[in-house]
Amino acid sequence: MFARYIGIDYSGAETPTSSLKGLRAYETAGEVLPPAPTKRYWTRRGLAEWLVQELGKGGPTLVGIDHAFSFPMRYFERHGLPLEWPNFLDDFQRHWPTDEDHTYVDFVRVGSHGNGPARSGNPKWRRLTEEWSGSAKSVFHFDVPGTVASSAHAGIPWLRFIREQCGDQVHVWPFDGWEIPEGKSAILEVSGAANSIGTYGTPTSTTPIALRRGLQGPTMMARSRRISIRH
């Protein structure tokens, strides 16, 4: 179904233009390094722009990224947001502009840039996939070893960027629908519980954009079942 497979080990450290040792890209043949003569390690901006370029070359590519693509249901309830993933991306980037130069996630957290406090969450909130795993950390659990919160808050605006740049060339699973059209590239989350034991829903809508819980989207009322992602 896919001609290429790319895996991204993500990092929410420093700024979008910082060269980060923890930000890595891999294909089946091995690690992909930033094109010369750029910095030694990828930057979040450079990686996003490279993905846009690669996804535009033609030939279906599957990209797995290990940061959360969306937030727990409690986040949407607390802030009165519709369960529409494209709306979530736009609203989040307005409050958490972590794709802007010289912007640390912590700058937005404390309110010195953007308006993070207006779109904050509780570290006890977890997505349904994370509740099933038993050990996954919340996307709002900052300041702990192995935190996934910084990666999610830094990466979601770049996911929006890639989606806007690529248009209908790329399918973000499952937010753009459960079925990936033949011949189209796809991006999916492979972090934490979603990579090992996902608790996803069986959609009742004919145009599912996301999940009833865990991975949010519009018109999705689901009956939970377990599935596993196979290579």
Side-chain angles (χ1 to χ4, degrees), residues 77-190:
E77 295 171 347
R78 169 68 62 83
H79 300 300
L81 300 175
L83 300 183
E84 297 177 357
W85 191 64
N87 178 79
F88 161 74
L89 294 179
D90 292 340
D91 180 83
F92 182 82
Q93 194 278 334
R94 285 194 299 270
H95 290 82
W96 288 81
T98 51
D99 54 342
E100 295 181 357
D101 291 348
H102 315 298
T103 302
Y104 285 71
V105 170
D106 283 346
F107 289 176
V108 186
R109 285 180 65 193
V110 301
S112 62
H113 192 70
N115 192 15
R119 289 293 185 270
S120 61
N122 190 311
K124 294 182 180 179
W125 298 348
R126 293 191 297 169
R127 302 179 298 167
L128 188 59
T129 53
E130 294 154 351
E131 292 176 3
W132 275 93
S133 77
S135 60
K137 294 182 175 65
S138 167
V139 292
F140 304 111
H141 199 173
F142 291 96
D143 304 323
V144 293
T147 178
V148 298
S150 293
S151 292
H153 284 70
I156 288 173
W158 287 112
L159 190 63
R160 173 179 176 268
F161 169 83
I162 294 169
R163 193 169 183 269
E164 288 184 341
Q165 295 296 312
C166 292
D168 61 4
Q169 290 180 313
V170 66
H171 180 103
V172 180
W173 188 89
F175 303 95
D176 290 325
W178 288 99
E179 299 296 329
I180 301 172
E182 186 175 353
K184 182 175 286 192
S185 294
I187 302 175
L188 73 158
E189 175 188 342
V190 293

